Amino acid sequence: MKINKTIVTIGTTILLISSVVPAALALNAASKESTGFVKPTISSLKDLDHVEVLKSLNNAQTVNLSVYGVSDSQLDKQTEYLKTLNGNELFETLGELSIYDEPNFERYAEAILPYLNKQWQGKVPTGVSDILADQEYNSKLRAFIIDILANGNKLDRNSLEKMKTVIENKDEDGNLRRYALLQLEPQKDPVLSTEEKSINLKAIFDDSNESVQVRSAAITAMRRLNDPNFKVVLSSLSKSENANDPLLRTLFTSAAKVGELDDYIEVVKKILNETKDEQVFGSTIYALGISGGEEAVYLVVHHQGKFKGNTEEIGRYSLLRNLNTISSMLKSQSDDKIITALKASEIINYGEAYPGIKEIRKNSKNSEVIKAAEHALETIIPENLVDEFNTKKWEGR
């Protein structure tokens, strides 16, 4: 649940689309002066006081989650209402919503977060982090707290300690532990950075009883924190005999992001040839795109089409990341490289390469090159510019 800090989606009009009345504004005005954070109790959240108010403003027994037909005036009323709530009320409302409508909690949080940030003036109250390690509270609410604490290096010692508690507690919700692991980033404060690195991430990875998701997140955290055991873990993963092992996804993407995928290229080839797991295959192709180079282009082209849909899109994305390599290969003296580049150009509909491909067809003496060039010319639209592709779609995988 990574919450966008800058965009409030219209979809989050949620139960807050209301006909705000003066009485409701007056009800909240008295408590607006409160600035100190008061940790809501589970019992108070279960009373759903704020949700009931919002429902009554809607004059409905149930919440209308539809985002269609929402007028500007209704959105204005939503904004007007949210402005009347202080930080405690906003946070308590989020707590209630995590109980009342957990499946839509992220949408609610995205709508309320800007107002919460304004009330907190960019500084998360100390008491908020105490909820983080308290298993009485809903895991989505706690993930929300992790998100706002970890964003922008806002962690303090207490917050980091709570995150460590969540990460190291095997009785915790697995998704929450995974989320906490994925928020670990090098801290600006040297003391906090040292404490963050004290988390035994390798032990989490080594524990076969841990879920794949948690173990994978531990590897990602090791990479980000420059854990000295990171390369040891990659090496052990590369020896896996299971071509469908989901942890291989993390092996390849992690190795690519630190520029070491070439060290595992034979494993990459083996997996591309043998895996029947589409996600493992897709992550391997994605990693090749990040790593780059002529061999990466060859492997992506050679295996394109093994799986359809999103996996083919990942293949195109990987080639789009390597346009310079493809352009260089088109000018190569090697016929094999030219053929690979022609097929890559066809896959991504490389319009800018069209004139050069015409020259290849005209000047080549190799029948296979001429055939590949002709096929590319029949497929590629000359006017197509590669920057029309959404090359950002797969960023951050």
Side-chain angles (χ1 to χ4, degrees):
M1 182 194 69
K2 191 66 179 175
I3 299 169
N4 189 314
K5 302 298 188 299
T6 57
I7 301 174
V8 180
T9 309
I10 290 180
T12 57
T13 49
I14 47 163
L15 69 176
L16 299 173
I17 298 173
S18 53
S19 53
V20 179
V21 294
L25 298 179
L27 178 67
N28 291 294
S31 58
K32 190 172 178 64
E33 299 303 319
S34 174
T35 56
F37 179 74
V38 178
K39 177 181 174 181
T41 63
I42 291 296
S43 59
S44 69
L45 294 182
K46 289 182 178 178
D47 287 340
L48 302 177
D49 290 340
H50 291 290
V51 170
E52 291 299 332
V53 170
L54 293 168
K55 284 169 62 180
S56 67
L57 291 173
N58 266 324
N59 193 27
Q61 293 301 311
T62 58
V63 176
N64 177 14
L65 295 176
S66 173
V67 301
Y68 301 103
V70 178
S71 68
D72 289 340
S73 62
Q74 286 175 312
L75 289 175
D76 289 341
K77 290 174 182 178
Q78 171 188 312
T79 299
E80 185 180 358
Y81 179 75
L82 288 175
K83 286 179 178 178
T84 69
L85 302 181
N86 64 30
N88 285 334
E89 293 167 332
L90 288 165
F91 188 85
E92 188 166 335
T93 301
L94 282 170
E96 293 174 2
L97 291 168
S98 71
I99 297 172
Y100 179 77
D101 196 356
E102 181 181 352
N104 292 290
F105 176 77
E106 289 89 346
R107 294 166 58 198
Y108 304 147
E110 193 171 14
I112 293 173
L113 184 59
Y115 301 96
L116 195 59
N117 280 335
K118 185 175 181 180
Q119 287 292 323
W120 286 348
Q121 298 180 342
K123 184 174 177 59
V124 181
T126 303
V128 173
S129 61
D130 292 337
I131 297 174
L132 184 55
D134 191 335
Q135 291 179 284
E136 280 193 306
Y137 293 86
N138 181 279
S139 60
K140 285 194 174 182
L141 177 66
R142 294 159 69 202
F144 170 83
I145 294 172
I146 290 174
D147 202 33
I148 58 177
L149 288 172
N151 182 262
N153 280 125
K154 293 177 183 176
L155 284 176
D156 55 25
R157 181 170 293 181
N158 183 57
S159 300
L160 181 57
E161 186 58 41
K162 300 299 183 184
M163 279 185 64
K164 286 176 62 177
T165 299
V166 169
I167 289 169
E168 295 173 344
N169 185 358
K170 294 183 180 181
D171 292 328
E172 268 289 5
D173 178 273
N175 288 328
L176 187 65
R177 292 178 68 206
R178 173 185 176 274
Y179 193 75
L181 283 163
L182 293 177
Q183 303 314 307
L184 294 178
E185 298 277 3
Q187 298 299 308
K188 296 175 183 177
D189 183 333
V191 175
L192 287 181
S193 183
T194 300
E195 291 189 13
E196 189 176 44
K197 289 182 178 179
S198 70
I199 302 172
N200 193 343
L201 298 170
K202 186 175 184 298
I204 295 174
F205 167 78
D206 287 338
D207 188 348
S208 60
N209 291 320
E210 293 279 18
S211 69
V212 167
Q213 290 75 17
V214 170
R215 294 176 73 196
S216 176
I219 300 169
T220 299
M222 291 175 77
R223 171 176 61 82
R224 290 175 176 170
L225 297 177
N226 197 25
D227 190 300
N229 292 309
F230 174 65
K231 292 185 179 181
V232 175
V233 166
L234 290 190
S235 179
S236 67
L237 263 180
S238 69
K239 296 177 174 60
S240 174
E241 295 297 323
N242 178 10
N244 301 309
D245 184 349
L247 281 171
L248 289 172
R249 300 178 62 193
T250 310
L251 162 64
F252 296 132
T253 54
S254 294
K257 288 179 179 180
V258 295
E260 296 181 3
L261 189 64
D262 287 348
D263 295 344
Y264 305 99
I265 200 66
E266 293 307 314
V267 183
V268 167
K269 292 177 182 178
K270 177 179 183 292
I271 297 306
L272 290 177
N273 286 322
E274 297 181 9
T275 189
K276 293 179 172 59
D277 188 302
E278 183 173 355
Q279 290 187 322
V280 170
F281 180 88
S283 292
T284 309
I285 293 295
Y286 173 79
L288 285 167
I290 295 174
S291 181
E294 292 182 354
E295 186 165 25
V297 170
Y298 170 78
L299 288 171
V300 173
V301 169
H302 182 71
H303 291 279
Q304 182 75 348
K306 181 173 181 177
F307 294 97
K308 304 298 182 182
N310 280 348
T311 307
E312 283 190 316
E313 283 193 43
I314 294 172
R316 282 190 284 271
Y317 167 81
S318 292
L319 293 175
L320 285 166
R321 284 187 62 111
N322 289 275
L323 287 178
N324 290 339
T325 299
I326 294 170
S327 297
S328 176
M329 291 172 72
L330 286 170
K331 300 172 184 176
S332 172
Q333 298 301 309
S334 165
D335 288 339
D336 287 342
K337 290 182 181 180
I338 292 173
I339 290 172
T340 296
L342 287 168
K343 291 178 179 178
S345 300
E346 189 174 337
I347 290 170
I348 62 174
N349 197 6
Y350 195 2
E352 286 102 326
Y354 197 88
I357 295 174
K358 290 177 67 176
E359 289 298 311
I360 290 172
R361 181 186 62 180
K362 176 181 176 182
N363 298 323
S364 178
K365 301 294 190 293
N366 185 308
S367 61
E368 290 188 16
V369 171
I370 294 171
K371 182 179 179 180
E374 288 177 344
H375 197 279
L377 291 171
E378 291 172 0
T379 305
I380 295 171
I381 300 172
E383 296 78 20
N384 186 75
L385 302 177
V386 292
D387 60 3
E388 292 177 358
F389 285 83
N390 181 12
T391 58
K392 298 293 185 184
K393 178 174 180 178
W394 303 104
E395 294 285 359
R397 274 173 58 95

